Amino acid sequence: MSSFFQKLLWALRRSQKEDELARELRFHLEEETEERAADGLDQAHARAAAARSLGRVSHVQESTRAAWGWTLATQFAQDVRYAFRSMGANRVFSALAVLSLALGIGANVSIFSFVDAILVRSLPVSHPESLVLLSFRTKRAEMHGRTSHDDTFVDRKVGYGDSVLSYPAFEMFATHRDIFSSVFGFQGAGRVHTLIGNRAEVLPTEYVTGNYFETLGVPPAAGRMIMPDDDQPGASPAAVVSYAFSQREFSATSSALGQTLVIKGHPFTIVGVTPPEFFGADPSALPEIYLPIRAEMLLRIDRYHPVSSDFTDPNYEWVVPMARLRDGVTREQAQAALAPQFARWMQTVNTKRNRADLPVLVIRDGSAGLNGLRYRYSKALFILLVVVALILAVACANIANLLLARAAARRREIAVRLGLGAGRARIVRQLLTESVTLAATGGALGLLFAFWGIRFLTLLVSNGEERFTLHAQFNWRLFACAALLSILTGALFGLAPALQSTRAGLLPALQRRLSTHSASIAGITLSRALMVAQIAISLALLFGAGLFLRTLSKLESVDVGFNRENLLTFDVDAPQAGHHEPEVYDFYNRLREQLAAIPGVHAATLSQMQMLGGRWSTEVTVRDAPDKSTLIMAVGPQFFNTMQIPLAAGRDFEPADIAGAAHVIAVNREFVKQYLGGRNAIGESISFPGDCPRCGALQVIGIVGNPTIGGDVREELQPAVFFPFTVPIIGATNMVYELRTAGDPLRYAGAVREVVRRTDPRLPLTEVRTQRQLIDASMAREILFARLCTAFALLALLIACVGLYAAMSYNVARRTSEIGVRMALGAQQGRVIWMVLGEVLALAAVGLAIGVSLSLSASKLLKSFLFETTTSDPLAIAVAASALLATILLAGFLPARKASQIDPMNALRHE
């Protein structure tokens, strides 16, 4: 039998083999004893002579075990069993250490799950490594088309980039069969009105080319995918739906097949269902419905751009192109071959872009799909990853201090082992096994915390957003992360205490004498260095949390120019439900009147967009001056009264202004200041030569304050013009209704839905929120950072406090004899307390000094996340330092008070 199988048999049948070895040794001993007795020795001397001849039984057993088994594996198993027995014998220490590590490792795994989902994970398709994105870059940003996908990237060295090209450019790339095995394209259709039976919904929809699913290698969960024949003029309207949609609407994937969806009034037949893991080529999109890209000609109505020219105009950029490289072709080779041709093509066909800054082709890795989600979250995730890594470092320093304190009690045990002949390396290995076992237990519990943490972070990041697309999931990478952190942390916090424990002198340790001095460099012991590190890191985390809390406070105190309380908002898209101009304006107005009649609704109005949900700008002409750029907003009657925007002069829009499409407007104070020199603007004439040349001059009837219009409360103040939504400047679009209510606005959501249902059952409500929720959503990043960083900082502070307490208790235990002598010589309790606290304050001073420097240096990374708050905010650093100092004093006072209560007689017995 080979050596390997002999050792394997020993491992599998260890108990039986041990019995056989014992019987064989007894047989040899008895046989040797009989031979010695036959030579004339008595039984006792014969047995002794036989034992001397055979050798020590225990030594023979160990030699046999070494030959039969794997020595290191056996010793490791012994060390692990001993580690668990040791943990059971020290339950308080073990529970504290495991909990600290579980929190630290759980926090790291939770954040890493989002890093994995956004920055690491590839598209769930066949061979994602061969996919590429066909992008471009320019020196300055220019937009000549449209896109609903976020894949812009900005680099100071190369400029601005995006992944949206014209359809002729897409077709040009598709001809290069020698480089690409296939080229496909897609573009979002937005949230599209869809009738499912008699029920209407607004669902995220994606236009895709006929070879989209085929090239990605996505098999259907049921039916078939969209094919090239579906993407031809005159083809039967076909649709593919997501797995989640089929389960939600039809209870099963097979039941969805053959069902009809009426999309913007046009029927489409469901021919297939995507697999459950597929989310499209853009991780941030998560479409519910996929349509052939040619269906765009059927569904889109654009009064600014003829739909038919989308597929022929080389200046209109709207398709996101991706491709799969042929075997043996690299991205670099494709870039070198196609970049010159693309440059010549742009020179020949493009007429709208700046000729000195035409797009340059950039072929990028497409294995993870579009990168908008990465650019949006990468820096934030990096900062959070650093924060949780620092928390784990504090936890490691804490447990290292606890192990140092525990080593004082185990010094005699270690000395006995060394005295009996155990090698120092063997004992260090056993102590490290204990540390890693402790860390592994913490890592296992940390996975449970991570499971809760991922769900909590998902809820926190989504901020109530419907169909949130960013979902982190458990996979082998998360388990590997937890395992790696467990091993590294176990070795990190266990090595130094293990080395220090085996360095002690044998005689003093065997006599139970504890040295009052530890190994140090310039008077700084390992324990003190760990305490200083914990204090410095904790201060940095507290300071970071303070900066985000200050930013959040500044944002919440911003005057948005209207009353954000008791205001319910929701979107209605009547044109998608079949209402067209001019009837749609009457419909919107009638619906407003019915909503205003709901009991408890004080006022109701509507506008083309949320006050903090976007912006629309255009050129206006004021008298004979050159055209000026201004924000514009179409609104309904009593808009300023409902939103409680103060009127500086003039009046609000009346129902007669809306019904008659009166050519009247209102402007904000910033418009008067910048474009009218601050003079009285009532009666001034303003025209829109680009968007509504037939409107002629519009008369100013009101001047309002400066309400915030844009993406969030940090938008800079800009001139703005308000006009009745019936004036044909922007045309019939979806509208946002705003209702001023008595009490909680969400209590009226049910009544609002019922009114809309009675008015038109085909019309779904979307984005039903309060104005306060919308403003909070605009500050979602700051709220997220403030909450997470505060929670993480408090966690680090708690861990550091426990570590400091344990370390000071250890120091008091070491100095028991010294303190007893001092008290026997007349030292008072207050003097002893201040002696111990003096050491604490000295360590705190050093830690705070290092922490302030570390905080001010690291805070520069947070600059882009702050609002009206400097990275050296004095209040934040003062509050963080004060809170940390108070915690340190509390953690140091308890051991100091215990030291002052030492009985001198009992203490002197240690000598």
Side-chain angles (χ1 to χ4, degrees):
M1 183 182 295
S2 68
S3 174
F4 173 81
F5 287 106
Q6 183 180 13
K7 292 176 183 292
L8 183 62
L9 183 63
W10 163 262
L12 296 176
R13 302 171 60 187
R14 181 183 177 90
S15 178
Q16 179 182 346
K17 287 293 185 179
E18 287 279 4
D19 292 340
E20 292 177 359
L21 176 61
R23 287 197 300 270
E24 185 173 354
L25 287 174
R26 283 198 302 272
F27 171 78
H28 285 296
L29 183 62
E30 291 172 358
E31 188 178 55
E32 186 68 21
T33 300
E34 291 176 0
E35 290 181 1
R36 298 292 182 176
D39 292 338
L41 295 175
D42 58 50
Q43 190 67 22
H45 287 85
R47 181 174 293 277
R52 287 194 299 272
S53 175
L54 188 61
R56 286 192 305 171
V57 174
S58 60
H59 179 72
V60 174
Q61 287 175 327
E62 288 297 327
S63 300
T64 305
R65 292 188 187 108
W68 284 4
W70 289 286
T71 303
L72 289 178
T74 302
Q75 291 177 350
F76 176 73
Q78 293 171 346
D79 291 345
V80 171
R81 289 195 297 270
Y82 183 83
F84 280 112
R85 288 199 302 270
S86 178
M87 289 169 60
N90 299 273
R91 292 186 179 88
V92 175
F93 163 78
S94 300
L96 190 61
V98 167
L99 183 59
S100 297
L101 285 170
L103 291 171
I105 293 175
N108 275 269
V109 173
S110 297
I111 299 299
F112 178 75
S113 68
F114 283 87
V115 173
D116 172 65
I118 296 173
L119 306 181
V120 178
R121 190 181 303 170
S122 298
L123 291 177
V125 300
S126 175
H127 302 291
E129 68 281 354
S130 64
L131 294 175
V132 292
L133 281 162
L134 304 177
S135 309
F136 71 86
R137 61 174 173 84
T138 52
K139 296 176 183 177
R140 299 186 63 183
E142 284 186 50
M143 186 65 184
H144 296 278
R146 74 181 196 280
T147 183
S148 63
H149 291 288
D150 179 15
D151 194 46
T152 58
F153 57 95
V154 179
D155 190 309
R156 292 179 180 177
K157 295 181 179 179
V158 300
Y160 165 89
D162 207 338
S163 295
V164 57
L165 297 172
S166 66
Y167 196 83
F170 162 77
E171 291 182 314
M172 183 267 291
F173 285 120
T175 61
H176 290 274
R177 298 293 183 181
D178 56 330
I179 298 175
F180 304 124
S181 60
S182 183
V183 179
F184 62 95
F186 57 95
Q187 182 53 261
R191 298 172 67 84
V192 176
H193 182 277
T194 306
L195 278 175
I196 309 162
N198 295 322
R199 186 169 50 81
E201 282 196 48
V202 179
L203 300 173
T205 303
E206 188 93 334
Y207 294 126
V208 300
T209 56
N211 61 344
Y212 177 86
F213 292 105
E214 179 185 1
T215 305
L216 287 174
V218 178
R224 65 173 179 85
M225 294 306 197
I226 290 174
M227 301 168 58
D229 290 343
D230 299 315
D231 190 23
Q232 299 293 331
S236 299
V240 167
V241 298
S242 70
Y243 182 87
F245 178 85
S246 68
Q247 295 291 311
R248 185 177 70 247
E249 301 296 339
F250 305 108
S251 302
T253 54
S254 58
S255 301
L257 299 179
Q259 299 286 345
T260 298
L261 301 177
V262 180
I263 301 175
K264 288 188 177 182
H266 300 278
F268 285 79
T269 302
I270 298 176
V271 298
V273 179
T274 63
E277 69 277 4
F278 183 70
F279 49 75
D282 182 356
S284 66
L286 200 66
E288 297 268 24
I289 302 173
Y290 297 87
L291 301 176
I293 203 166
R294 292 278 175 179
E296 196 244 7
M297 298 182 67
L298 183 67
L299 300 180
R300 190 170 69 87
I301 300 176
D302 191 336
R303 68 193 189 96
Y304 295 104
H305 184 81
V307 179
S308 59
S309 67
D310 285 3
F311 294 88
T312 58
D313 187 355
N315 296 289
Y316 192 71
E317 296 156 349
W318 66 285
V319 179
V320 179
M322 290 184 67
R324 188 177 290 279
L325 293 171
R326 282 201 173 278
D327 292 341
V329 179
T330 65
R331 278 195 296 125
E332 292 74 15
Q333 290 172 336
Q335 174 78 36
L338 295 179
Q341 180 178 345
F342 179 74
R344 290 192 299 269
W345 187 85
M346 290 297 297
Q347 286 280 355
T348 303
V349 304
N350 199 286
T351 59
K352 289 187 177 181
R353 284 187 171 272
N354 180 2
R355 308 297 293 178
D357 189 23
L358 289 176
V360 176
L361 180 66
V362 179
I363 299 182
R364 297 187 292 145
D365 176 32
S367 61
L370 299 190
N371 293 323
L373 210 59
R374 294 186 177 190
Y375 287 110
R376 196 185 317 161
Y377 286 101
S378 58
K379 187 174 181 180
L381 285 174
F382 169 75
I383 291 175
L384 288 176
L385 205 57
V386 171
V387 168
V388 294
L390 291 176
I391 290 176
L392 190 56
V394 171
C396 288
N398 174 34
I399 298 174
N401 258 334
L402 291 175
L403 286 175
L404 287 172
R406 187 177 167 216
R410 300 185 65 183
R411 193 164 296 176
R412 177 176 170 79
E413 172 198 339
I414 301 299
V416 168
R417 295 186 182 190
L418 291 170
L420 291 176
R424 186 185 179 198
R426 178 69 181 88
I427 294 179
V428 167
R429 191 171 70 198
Q430 184 191 40
L431 295 177
L432 280 178
T433 303
E434 289 185 39
S435 301
V436 173
T437 303
L438 196 68
T441 306
L445 184 59
L447 283 173
L448 180 61
F449 286 153
F451 176 76
W452 294 332
I454 290 171
R455 299 181 66 179
F456 171 73
L457 285 174
T458 301
L459 291 174
L460 202 61
V461 174
S462 66
N463 199 32
E465 181 182 340
E466 296 180 8
R467 296 187 176 93
F468 181 62
T469 59
L470 178 57
H471 292 284
Q473 297 175 344
F474 266 92
N475 54 38
W476 68 267
R477 285 186 290 271
L478 298 193
F479 286 98
C481 175
L484 182 62
L485 286 175
S486 298
I487 295 173
L488 289 178
T489 54
L492 181 65
F493 68 71
L495 183 59
L499 293 175
Q500 186 163 314
S501 297
T502 56
R503 195 185 292 130
L506 293 182
L507 187 58
L510 292 172
Q511 292 177 343
R512 293 182 180 272
R513 291 168 56 190
L514 296 180
S515 172
T516 60
H517 300 284
S518 299
S520 64
I521 300 175
I524 302 297
T525 64
L526 176 60
S527 178
R528 289 172 177 169
L530 290 172
M531 284 189 284
V532 167
Q534 290 182 78
I535 292 170
I537 294 174
S538 298
L539 179 62
L541 293 176
L542 284 171
F543 177 56
L547 289 178
F548 287 120
L549 288 173
R550 288 277 286 164
T551 289
L552 188 58
S553 175
K554 295 279 189 182
L555 287 171
E556 289 178 340
S557 64
V558 170
D559 182 12
V560 294
F562 58 89
N563 185 1
R564 66 185 85 186
E565 304 300 334
N566 301 328
L567 199 62
L568 181 69
T569 72
F570 54 90
D571 288 12
V572 172
D573 198 333
Q576 284 204 44
H579 295 274
H580 303 294
E581 298 184 44
E583 176 268 337
V584 67
Y585 300 121
D586 293 333
F587 174 82
Y588 277 140
N589 212 24
R590 289 196 310 272
L591 180 58
R592 183 198 66 82
E593 292 171 351
Q594 294 180 45
L595 292 170
I598 296 175
V601 175
H602 296 322
T605 190
L606 64 157
S607 57
Q608 80 184 82
M609 61 186 179
Q610 296 282 1
M611 292 293 291
L612 280 87
R615 56 172 57 198
W616 194 315
S617 62
T618 189
E619 299 289 328
V620 299
T621 301
V622 182
R623 292 189 176 181
D624 298 326
D627 290 351
K628 303 176 185 296
S629 177
T630 184
L631 299 178
I632 60 173
M633 191 168 185
V635 300
Q638 297 300 310
F639 178 77
F640 305 124
N641 175 60
T642 304
M643 301 300 294
Q644 296 184 7
I645 300 172
L647 274 167
R651 65 176 177 84
D652 202 341
F653 295 112
E654 301 296 340
D657 298 325
I658 307 299
H663 288 190
V664 293
I665 61 173
V667 297
N668 67 349
R669 284 180 173 176
E670 191 66 18
F671 187 96
V672 175
K673 176 183 176 182
Q674 291 192 26
Y675 297 161
L676 298 175
R679 65 180 181 271
N680 185 8
I682 301 298
E684 287 282 352
S685 295
I686 297 173
S687 59
F688 296 80
D691 286 326
C692 190
R694 69 181 186 277
C695 290
L698 287 79
Q699 186 179 32
V700 177
I701 61 166
I703 302 173
V704 300
N706 291 314
T708 302
I709 302 173
D712 57 44
V713 298
R714 288 163 293 196
E715 295 288 343
E716 294 183 0
L717 197 59
Q718 293 191 34
V721 173
F722 304 87
F723 55 90
F725 72 91
T726 51
V727 175
I729 295 178
I730 63 168
T733 66
N734 65 301
M735 284 289 172
V736 176
Y737 281 81
E738 293 97 356
L739 276 61
R740 180 71 61 183
T741 65
D744 181 12
L746 291 177
R747 290 194 294 113
Y748 298 86
V752 167
R753 292 183 188 277
E754 179 60 24
V755 168
V756 175
R757 187 194 66 78
R758 290 200 310 264
T759 306
D760 188 345
R762 303 169 302 167
L763 196 62
L765 268 66
T766 58
E767 305 297 331
V768 181
R769 295 186 181 184
T770 67
Q771 187 66 56
R772 165 63 71 177
Q773 288 175 327
L774 288 169
I775 293 177
D776 287 346
S778 72
M779 302 182 290
R781 186 179 67 175
E782 288 72 18
I783 294 174
L784 176 66
F785 270 116
R787 290 175 178 174
L788 286 181
C789 290
T790 301
F792 289 151
L794 292 177
L795 177 60
L797 185 63
L798 176 63
I799 293 174
C801 180
V802 172
L804 183 63
Y805 170 78
M808 294 310 300
S809 298
Y810 163 62
N811 289 338
V812 168
R814 285 194 301 110
R815 301 175 64 182
T816 298
S817 300
E818 175 195 343
I819 294 172
V821 170
R822 289 176 181 270
M823 297 188 69
L825 294 176
Q828 300 298 315
Q829 286 188 345
R831 176 68 176 169
V832 173
I833 290 176
W834 278 110
M835 179 186 70
V836 177
L837 281 181
E839 181 180 351
V840 174
L841 289 172
L843 292 173
V846 176
L848 290 175
I850 297 174
V852 168
S853 177
L854 175 65
S855 300
L856 295 177
S857 300
S859 64
K860 295 176 182 178
L861 297 173
L862 309 179
K863 186 176 181 180
S864 62
F865 296 90
L866 304 180
F867 175 73
E868 293 185 358
T869 304
T870 64
T871 56
S872 59
D873 186 76
L875 180 60
I877 197 73
V879 171
S882 301
L884 183 57
L885 183 60
T887 306
I888 291 170
L889 289 176
L890 176 63
F893 176 76
L894 298 178
R897 185 171 179 271
K898 182 179 179 180
S900 68
Q901 296 174 343
I902 290 176
D903 184 353
M905 295 302 295
N906 290 333
L908 291 174
R909 288 197 184 101
H910 285 276
E911 296 293 325

